[in-house]
């Protein structure tokens, strides 16, 4: 911890010791929404300290206890924010109660993206690990003839944002949750980062000066990554090329998600323009 008295305090600062604190802000979702990009962009801020790997504490490791969780955190100095991201929290039934019992005031960030492209991206990720899985089409429908969509498939389930959000609103006021547009994070990273910095109570230090658009990747990249002077783009697992999905299937999914999207726009007071 920080030493008392002038010299000891200064020494602590020089050694960059600081203290491990439980996160005051968590990126809770969503899978394939742009959470890694957001975290990497945010880490450019000198007052943000974040865990690199996803701790999965509030979904898979909860029995390990808060002390275990806190130990994973980076050391921070006075005024710095500790953060982590685990995109599966958003769809985990127990997560809201668990985070709330850690600290009612925890700030939550959800990066959302068009549920249809999100589902295809999710499938693409799985496909890259298990090339022998069934086609996207066959996983989408319970019954292709009737066009009944299989909502139990996680790739589809995750995108029903309104349904998951209702669970969080039992424990957190809507004003404590920031919804970041995954699309705008790509088209206007500085603009979205401005909203995030405001929400976290941080000085707007990350601006368009920090980004350049990489045409090959189709992504904005950082001119200088955290703690480095070299440009930094997200890794090769990001921005994978999606397989071609039958347009009729895409349209069927658009129709399926529309009412849920509308409900989500109403709940958040934001139109994400997915339709």
């Amino acid at each position: 911890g920080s030493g008392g008295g002038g010299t000891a305090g200064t020494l602590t600062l020089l050694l960059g010791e600081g203290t491990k604190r439980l996160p005051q802000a968590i990126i809770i979702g969503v899978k394939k929404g742009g959470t890694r990009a957001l975290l990497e962009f945010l880490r450019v801020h000198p007052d943000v300290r974040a865990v690199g790997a996803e701790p999965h504490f509030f979904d898979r490791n909860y029995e390990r206890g808060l002390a275990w969780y806190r130990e994973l955190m980076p050391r921070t100095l006075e005024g710095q924010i500790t953060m982590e991201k685990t995109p599966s929290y958003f769809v985990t039934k127990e997560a809201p109660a668990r985070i709330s019992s850690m600290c009612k005031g925890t700030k939550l960030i959800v990066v959302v993206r068009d549920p249809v492209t999100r589902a295809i991206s999710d499938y693409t990720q799985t496909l890259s690990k298990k090339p022998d899985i069934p086609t996207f089409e066959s996983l989408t429908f319970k019954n292709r003839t009737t066009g009944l969509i299989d909502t139990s498939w996680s790739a589809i389930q995750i995108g029903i944002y309104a349904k998951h959000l209702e669970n969080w609103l039992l424990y957190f006021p809507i004003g404590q949750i920031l919804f970041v547009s995954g699309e705008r994070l790509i088209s206007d990273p500085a603009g979205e980062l401005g909203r995030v910095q405001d929400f976290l109570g941080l000085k707007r230090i990350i601006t368009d000066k920090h980004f350049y658009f990489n045409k090959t990747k189709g992504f904005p990249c950082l001119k200088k990554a955290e703690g480095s002077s070299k440009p930094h783009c997200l890794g090769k697992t990001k921005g994978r090329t999606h397989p071609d999905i039958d347009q009729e299937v895409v349209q069927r999914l658009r129709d399926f998600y529309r009412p849920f999207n509308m409900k989500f726009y109403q709940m958040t007071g934001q139109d994400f323009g997915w339709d």
Side-chain angles (χ1 to χ4, degrees), residues 44 205-212 221-224:
V44 168
I205 287 174
I206 309 167
T207 63
D208 41 20
K209 294 184 196 55
H210 286 88
F211 300 99
Y212 69 95
C221 298
L222 292 165
K223 288 184 184 162
K224 289 184 175 68

Side-chain angles (χ1 to χ4, degrees), residues 220-239:
C221 298
L222 292 165
K223 288 184 184 162
K224 289 184 175 68
E226 184 205 18
S228 150
S229 55
K230 291 190 182 67
H232 170 70
C233 286
L234 294 177
K236 41 185 171 304
T237 64
K238 302 302 177 183

Side-chain angles (χ1 to χ4, degrees), residues 106-160:
T106 309
K107 290 180 179 181
L108 308 172
I109 300 175
V110 191
V111 187
V112 285
R113 173 187 187 185
D114 181 320
V116 180
T117 28
R118 199 222 64 82
I120 297 168
S121 177
D122 200 329
Y123 173 79
T124 307
Q125 179 179 32
T126 310
L127 190 62
S128 73
K129 296 175 185 168
K130 308 177 185 164
D132 45 350
I133 54 163
T135 64
F136 181 84
E137 287 82 352
S138 64
L139 290 166
T140 297
F141 298 104
K142 266 214 254 284
N143 181 327
R144 187 68 181 92
T145 333
T146 60
L148 249 185
I149 283 169
D150 188 355
T151 53
S152 69
W153 181 30
S154 71
I156 284 168
Q157 177 69 44
I158 292 170
I160 309 173

Side-chain angles (χ1 to χ4, degrees), residues 1 4-5 7 9 38 63 70 72-73 82 95 122 152 154 174 189 191 226 228 231 244 250:
T7 13
L38 177 60
E63 357 39 83
R70 184 183 187 141
L72 298 177
M73 299 300 146
T82 303
D122 200 329
S152 69
S154 71
I174 192 93
E226 184 205 18
S228 150
D244 272 327
V250 172

Side-chain angles (χ1 to χ4, degrees), residues 130-220:
K130 308 177 185 164
D132 45 350
I133 54 163
T135 64
F136 181 84
E137 287 82 352
S138 64
L139 290 166
T140 297
F141 298 104
K142 266 214 254 284
N143 181 327
R144 187 68 181 92
T145 333
T146 60
L148 249 185
I149 283 169
D150 188 355
T151 53
S152 69
W153 181 30
S154 71
I156 284 168
Q157 177 69 44
I158 292 170
I160 309 173
Y161 304 140
K163 182 176 153 290
H164 304 299
L165 180 55
E166 278 176 339
N167 191 26
W168 288 86
L169 295 180
L170 300 172
Y171 296 89
F172 294 92
I174 192 93
Q176 217 168 299
I177 310 175
L178 180 72
F179 301 92
V180 172
S181 159
E183 285 83 15
R184 279 202 304 267
L185 195 56
I186 292 172
S187 64
D188 178 21
E192 282 301 274
L193 263 290
R195 294 179 60 236
V196 178
Q197 290 170 101
D198 291 351
F199 174 72
L200 294 174
L202 295 166
K203 279 216 255 331
R204 282 201 175 201
I205 287 174
I206 309 167
T207 63
D208 41 20
K209 294 184 196 55
H210 286 88
F211 300 99
Y212 69 95
F213 194 81
N214 181 309
K215 290 193 178 59
T216 323
K217 276 195 94 69
F219 269 120

Side-chain angles (χ1 to χ4, degrees), residues 24-25 47-50 76-77 79-83 107 200-202:
Q24 300 96 317
D47 292 331
V48 170
R49 303 284 286 114
T76 54
L77 302 169
Q80 289 185 320
I81 292 181
T82 303
M83 290 188 73
K107 290 180 179 181
L200 294 174
L202 295 166

